[in-house]
Amino acid sequence: MKLVTGPVFQTLKSFTRDATQLMKPISTISILESSLQKCQRPNQFLQVHAQMITSGFVKDNFAASRLLFFSVGCLFFDLSYSHQILFQIDVPNAFTWNTLMRAYIWRDSPQFCIPLYSLMLGSDSVPDNFTHPIVIHASAIRSSEVEGKQIHAHVKKFGFDSDVYVLNTLINMYSVCGNLYDAQLLFDSSPVLDLVSWNTILAAHVKAGNVNEAIRIYDQMPEHNTIAANSMISLFGRFNCVNDAYKIFDEMKARDVVSWTAMISCYEQSEMFTEALVMFSRMRTEGVSLDEVVMISALSACTKLCATRNGEVIHGLIIRNGHESYVNLQNALIHMYSSHGNIVAAQQLFDFCSFLDQISWNSMIAGYLKCGLVVEARALFDAMPSKDVVSWTTMIGGYAQHDQFMETLELFNEMQVGPIRPDETTLVSVISACAHLSALEQGKWVHAYIKKNSIDINIFLGTTLIDMYMKCGSVETALEVFNGMKDRGISAWNAVISGLAMNGLVMESLERFADMENSGVLPNEITFVGVLGACRHAGLVDEGRQHFKSMQQTYGIQPNVKHYGCMVDLFGRAGLLKEAEEFMESMPMTPDVATWGALLGACKKHGATEIGEQVGKKLIELEPQHDGFHVLLANIYASTGRWDDVMKLRGTMRKRGVMKIPGCSMIESNGVVHEFLAGDRTHPQMEKIDKMIEEMTWRLKTEGYQPDITDVAYDIEEEEKETTLYRHSEKLAIAFGLISTFPPTPIRIMKNLRICGDCHEAAKIISRAYQREIIVRDRQRFHHFRLGLCSCTDFW
């Protein structure tokens, strides 16, 4: 062993000489402790240990216990070294054993306490009243009630069952392990109780959320100290009992920073954000020191209130108090600034933060997405040193929220390659993307993943699955999900009612509404949008009037603009244009663009040129950049041969820079979504698609099909008009579906616009000629084409 020199060495020489000469114990121990305190490196400590062995002084119990005490405090030694020191002592006492057991808890290794306690019992040492609290605490840390009960038996055996310190640790152990019955029984039978006993049992019931029992104990306490009051304020905050919390707070004789923090958190949890900030201001006025937790609560209140100025003041306090390096506060500030749209300030905090954790990265990505900066969010996501499920979910959900559904599915597929598994929130975003893209195969895969991993289908997940299947035209599977749900909330019922109506199953939709009423679930505003939508899809005017009336008289729901719009559309589709106009005039609010658009569409359908022209001009005034209204009015002019008016309207569109949105149809094949635009020639399989278009054209003509060129541009030849019709996006998608899918798989298509009359008629004939079911979801509803018929019964 290499010897050391210097002050420590000189002390050791003196220590060895004095020990040999049998100096008085007090002075000997003093020299020993002086030597140990001067040890700065492992080899110095080892030198002291060696000198003790050489001198035989290690046999002295008190001296050896001091050596052990210093060794457990030296972080450059593993506790196995201290373990060796313990077994060099001839007769270790309880203090020595306790020292090492307590050290295992300090070093986050409580699992070694019980084996060490067993060794102690096997020696001649006897536990004292400090031994059992240590091992009981070790059991509590590990939530090991079995071990705790065994120690409890030893407590009785050694006669410590009346020691209040031991009993308090036992009460805490049982409560931590979730056994409040035994904790309460021990408390009730205890021969002596101190303030710690009351605080411990109160904390147990507070943690378990037993409000009534906690109140009973608090009322019986001989003294309401600050700790107990803080526990009650925290409990009331969890259950939004703000008045009860404030009453205790107001009656407190002495408040600490925890008291103020608990009260502010209580307001914040109860969404009383203004009151939280008022309490925070009062806390500052009274000169109470601010800690990290209370400032996070205050920043959260600022975020919810959009109180930017208050948040900036708190930011200044954080800097003034020297807390700017606290990562949790940094994250709260990043969240606040990004939520208020100040992404520059959030980015500066992120860039200059000395320590970034996972929450920092996730908060910044969420901030970018909230501000609509999707590209920047993705760049930060890609730069992350490590990603957790929140990172993936935030980015995937961000794509879905910004209608970038293809990117949603692509990122989800990328996620599957790595080790991170999606959670329920991730799956909701992915399923929602599948619904918007009509990507049924992807949606089925996600559903299979949910089943395989035994993920509970809660209300949110179940409703999203129902919505996805309904929007993909898979009604039977949607109903299977609904029927299998344990908890059917109003959102699930609404998804079924609206989905059935959208798919042309109007009577089934209204029957489900009756089932919902009979089951005791009260409808809401969204429910009646679905019910009235079902009526308008089938032209059920009387039923629509009845439901519109019942929503007010039976359920006390005041109709909003969407309900009035449904009724105007219902009357308009049924040809009751005068009643539709009068209904609009009776609306208690200004009709929105959608309501006027419904009336304009009805005018186009029923050839009401005069009313249609008036409505069309009004709509163009309201929405001068809306291409659909210009096109509808142009079609009304074209249907009556007013080509000069069509030309003027198109000129107006050119001046205003209004571009007609091209028709776009999407179809999924082998898990890949293919997109077609009107007149598209870019698809890699276009040669095969062209051949199928030619075959479809021949089959259609042999079936007696006559192209409807009414709405085609007026300035091209008749033959070219027919060619243009054959290259509508729906027909291109149908042709691709015929060459890429096989019976009995339906051809499922999603279109961004309303299906035109010609494509609707062609799809009916193709479904009969090719014996294929074709499902088209346009902007308004589903069309299920089977054997030459459509589920809409041509009422669209």
Side-chain angles (χ1 to χ4, degrees):
M1 179 182 295
K2 182 180 179 181
L3 297 179
V4 295
T5 59
V8 174
F9 177 70
Q10 297 300 326
T11 305
L12 284 171
K13 285 172 59 181
S14 173
F15 161 69
T16 305
R17 183 181 62 251
D18 293 339
T20 305
Q21 295 173 3
L22 300 177
M23 289 180 60
K24 293 180 181 180
I26 294 177
S27 59
T28 305
I29 295 302
S30 176
I31 294 172
L32 169 65
E33 293 203 356
S34 175
S35 301
L36 290 169
Q37 288 171 359
K38 292 178 181 178
C39 294
Q40 300 296 323
R41 295 188 298 275
N43 60 339
Q44 293 177 336
F45 189 91
L46 292 171
Q47 190 73 33
V48 174
H49 190 188
Q51 293 287 356
M52 286 186 67
I53 295 172
T54 303
S55 66
F57 196 54
V58 76
K59 300 294 184 181
D60 183 274
N61 274 8
F62 188 67
S65 68
R66 301 310 295 163
L67 180 69
L68 178 67
F69 177 79
F70 276 97
S71 73
V72 298
C74 295
L75 298 180
F76 44 73
F77 284 126
D78 187 80
L79 285 179
S80 60
Y81 176 71
S82 301
H83 207 281
Q84 293 175 7
I85 295 175
L86 174 67
F87 285 97
Q88 289 175 358
I89 302 173
D90 287 343
V91 186
N93 56 23
F95 175 82
T96 312
W97 291 95
N98 294 348
T99 299
L100 186 54
M101 284 190 284
R102 191 179 289 111
Y104 277 123
I105 293 177
W106 291 342
R107 298 280 192 97
D108 295 325
S109 301
Q111 68 273 18
F112 296 113
C113 285
I114 298 297
L116 192 60
Y117 174 69
S118 298
L119 290 173
M120 177 184 181
L121 295 178
S123 69
D124 294 332
S125 301
V126 178
D128 62 12
N129 61 329
F130 294 104
T131 306
H132 293 119
I134 296 171
V135 286
I136 292 168
H137 183 48
S139 301
I141 293 173
R142 300 173 62 224
S143 297
S144 177
E145 186 181 350
V146 174
E147 289 180 356
K149 284 186 173 181
Q150 291 174 343
I151 304 303
H152 190 177
H154 281 234
V155 167
K156 292 180 179 180
K157 177 181 176 181
F158 287 98
F160 293 116
D161 50 337
S162 60
D163 186 295
V164 68
Y165 177 46
V166 176
L167 288 171
N168 289 344
T169 55
L170 279 169
I171 293 170
N172 178 68
M173 182 274 296
Y174 281 121
S175 64
V176 166
C177 294
N179 186 350
L180 267 92
Y181 176 81
D182 283 340
Q184 186 68 54
L185 189 65
L186 199 58
F187 176 85
D188 293 337
S189 61
S190 177
V192 58
L193 297 172
D194 63 3
L195 200 54
V196 175
S197 311
W198 286 96
N199 286 338
T200 302
I201 195 65
L202 177 65
H205 286 288
V206 167
K207 181 181 179 182
N210 299 334
V211 179
N212 293 333
E213 189 63 19
I215 293 173
R216 184 187 69 81
I217 292 170
Y218 185 76
D219 290 341
Q220 291 180 355
M221 289 183 72
E223 178 187 347
H224 289 164
N225 63 351
T226 303
I227 295 174
N230 291 345
S231 294
M232 292 302 294
I233 294 171
S234 175
L235 174 66
F236 286 135
R238 281 162 55 194
F239 290 91
N240 299 327
C241 304
V242 181
N243 292 334
D244 294 322
Y246 185 76
K247 182 180 178 182
I248 290 180
F249 178 84
D250 193 46
E251 293 173 351
M252 291 178 71
K253 296 178 181 178
R255 305 184 187 105
D256 59 11
V257 65
V258 177
S259 314
W260 290 91
T261 302
M263 195 63 231
I264 292 170
S265 297
C266 177
Y267 282 128
E268 196 259 334
Q269 290 167 9
S270 301
E271 299 185 357
M272 300 173 67
F273 305 116
T274 301
E275 290 81 355
L277 291 182
V278 170
M279 182 63 71
F280 179 74
S281 178
R282 181 180 160 190
M283 179 183 180
R284 289 178 56 205
T285 303
E286 296 196 14
V288 183
S289 61
L290 304 176
D291 66 359
E292 178 183 9
V293 178
V294 73
M295 286 192 283
I296 287 174
S297 294
L299 284 171
S300 175
C302 293
T303 302
K304 297 295 173 56
L305 288 172
C306 292
T308 310
R309 179 59 189 151
N310 296 76
E312 290 173 348
V313 170
I314 296 172
H315 190 179
L317 289 171
I318 291 170
I319 296 172
R320 191 182 310 161
N321 292 343
H323 294 158
E324 64 269 26
S325 61
Y326 289 18
V327 68
N328 290 333
L329 282 172
Q330 291 281 355
N331 293 339
L333 285 167
I334 289 170
H335 178 60
M336 181 197 69
Y337 282 122
S338 60
S339 296
H340 297 166
N342 191 350
I343 198 66
V344 175
Q347 183 67 58
Q348 287 176 344
L349 280 165
F350 182 83
D351 290 340
F352 292 103
C353 186
S354 56
F355 176 75
L356 297 171
D357 63 4
Q358 198 71 42
I359 297 174
S360 311
W361 288 87
N362 293 340
S363 298
M364 198 63 218
I365 292 170
Y368 274 129
L369 291 169
K370 189 174 181 66
C371 295
L373 303 171
V374 183
V375 175
E376 290 80 356
R378 180 57 192 269
L380 196 63
F381 174 82
D382 291 337
M384 288 184 75
S386 64
K387 303 177 181 70
D388 59 9
V389 66
V390 177
S391 316
W392 287 97
T393 299
T394 302
M395 195 64 233
I396 289 171
Y399 275 136
Q401 289 163 12
H402 288 87
D403 297 339
Q404 297 187 26
F405 303 115
M406 294 291 286
E407 290 82 356
T408 303
L409 296 186
E410 288 172 1
L411 188 58
F412 177 68
N413 291 334
E414 185 180 329
M415 182 183 184
Q416 300 307 297
V417 180
I420 305 297
R421 298 294 92 195
D423 61 10
E424 292 174 8
T425 308
T426 319
L427 297 173
V428 166
S429 296
V430 174
I431 295 168
S432 177
C434 293
H436 282 87
L437 294 173
S438 284
L440 181 60
E441 294 305 315
Q442 284 260 18
K444 283 182 175 179
W445 185 93
V446 176
H447 193 182
Y449 179 90
I450 291 169
K451 292 179 179 177
K452 180 180 178 182
N453 290 275
S454 301
I455 298 174
D456 183 46
I457 298 181
N458 56 24
I459 293 176
F460 299 107
L461 201 53
T463 301
T464 311
L465 278 170
I466 293 168
D467 182 63
M468 183 271 295
Y469 280 119
M470 287 293 187
K471 286 181 177 177
C472 290
S474 185
V475 177
E476 297 80 4
T477 313
L479 293 177
E480 286 177 12
V481 174
F482 177 78
N483 294 331
M485 290 177 66
K486 297 176 183 177
D487 185 11
R488 299 171 187 168
I490 183 65
S491 58
W493 284 98
N494 290 344
V496 168
I497 292 167
S498 300
L500 288 170
M502 187 191 306
N503 280 277
L505 302 170
V506 173
M507 298 314 297
E508 289 86 342
S509 173
L510 297 178
E511 286 171 7
R512 286 287 175 169
F513 174 66
D515 291 342
M516 187 187 79
E517 289 181 305
N518 294 332
S519 67
V521 178
L522 292 176
N524 59 15
E525 294 180 353
I526 299 173
T527 312
F528 278 101
V529 171
V531 170
L532 296 175
C535 294
R536 69 173 179 159
H537 281 315
L540 304 176
V541 177
D542 292 337
E543 288 84 347
R545 288 196 185 103
Q546 178 186 341
H547 287 299
F548 187 80
K549 184 178 179 181
S550 72
M551 72 177 287
Q552 302 172 75
Q553 297 182 353
T554 306
Y555 296 104
I557 299 173
Q558 290 303 312
N560 59 34
V561 69
K562 290 186 178 180
H563 301 114
Y564 280 99
C566 285
M567 293 302 293
V568 170
D569 194 24
L570 171 62
F571 293 140
R573 286 170 185 262
L576 304 174
L577 299 180
K578 186 66 176 175
E579 189 168 353
E581 279 190 284
E582 292 173 353
F583 196 83
M584 282 184 65
E585 292 172 0
S586 70
M587 288 174 63
M589 72 285 292
T590 303
D592 62 357
V593 172
T595 306
W596 283 107
L599 183 59
L600 179 60
C603 292
K604 164 68 171 61
K605 178 179 179 180
H606 296 287
T609 308
E610 186 177 342
I611 300 175
E613 184 175 4
Q614 295 172 2
V615 173
K617 287 180 178 178
K618 184 173 183 65
L619 274 170
I620 290 172
E621 287 178 12
L622 292 172
E623 290 279 346
Q625 296 300 314
H626 195 293
D627 67 306
F629 299 148
H630 287 83
V631 172
L632 264 177
L633 183 57
N635 288 340
I636 289 174
Y637 287 147
S639 64
T640 56
R642 295 170 59 180
W643 299 114
D644 289 341
D645 291 324
V646 173
M647 185 169 62
K648 289 179 183 178
L649 189 58
R650 290 183 182 271
T652 302
M653 290 177 68
R654 280 193 294 272
K655 285 181 182 178
R656 292 176 175 173
V658 180
M659 300 293 294
K660 181 181 181 300
I661 296 175
C664 174
S665 295
M666 288 180 286
I667 178 172
E668 184 184 29
S669 176
N670 297 321
V672 178
V673 177
H674 299 258
E675 189 176 68
F676 294 92
L677 297 175
D680 199 351
R681 303 204 64 85
T682 60
H683 195 276
Q685 292 181 260
M686 189 51 68
E687 187 176 338
K688 292 181 179 179
I689 293 171
D690 283 339
K691 289 182 179 179
M692 179 52 69
I693 288 286
E694 292 177 8
E695 182 184 325
M696 281 168 48
T697 303
W698 177 79
R699 294 284 289 271
L700 283 168
K701 288 183 177 179
T702 58
E703 294 282 342
Y705 160 76
Q706 292 294 324
D708 181 3
I709 59 174
T710 308
D711 295 336
V712 183
Y714 69 95
D715 53 352
I716 57 177
E717 298 295 330
E718 295 297 314
E719 185 177 344
E720 190 177 346
K721 288 182 181 181
E722 291 190 19
T723 305
T724 302
L725 285 174
Y726 282 118
R727 300 204 71 81
H728 274 193
S729 65
E730 302 98 306
K731 294 190 180 77
L732 290 172
I734 290 173
F736 177 74
L738 288 172
I739 65 174
S740 62
T741 65
F742 303 95
T745 304
I747 297 172
R748 301 176 187 274
I749 297 167
M750 188 190 79
K751 183 170 166 50
N752 65 331
L753 305 175
R754 188 169 176 265
I755 188 172
C756 74
D758 180 77
C759 287
H760 189 272
E761 187 63 28
K764 288 198 296 184
I765 298 173
I766 292 170
S767 71
R768 182 178 66 241
Y770 286 88
Q771 294 292 297
R772 294 294 301 271
E773 180 181 0
I774 301 171
I775 302 173
V776 177
R777 180 181 124 201
D778 69 9
R779 191 165 59 183
Q780 293 188 341
R781 63 174 298 165
F782 268 93
H783 299 269
H784 292 255
F785 300 98
R786 296 188 187 94
L787 301 175
L789 300 174
C790 181
S791 59
C792 72
T793 63
D794 296 339
F795 189 84
W796 58 284

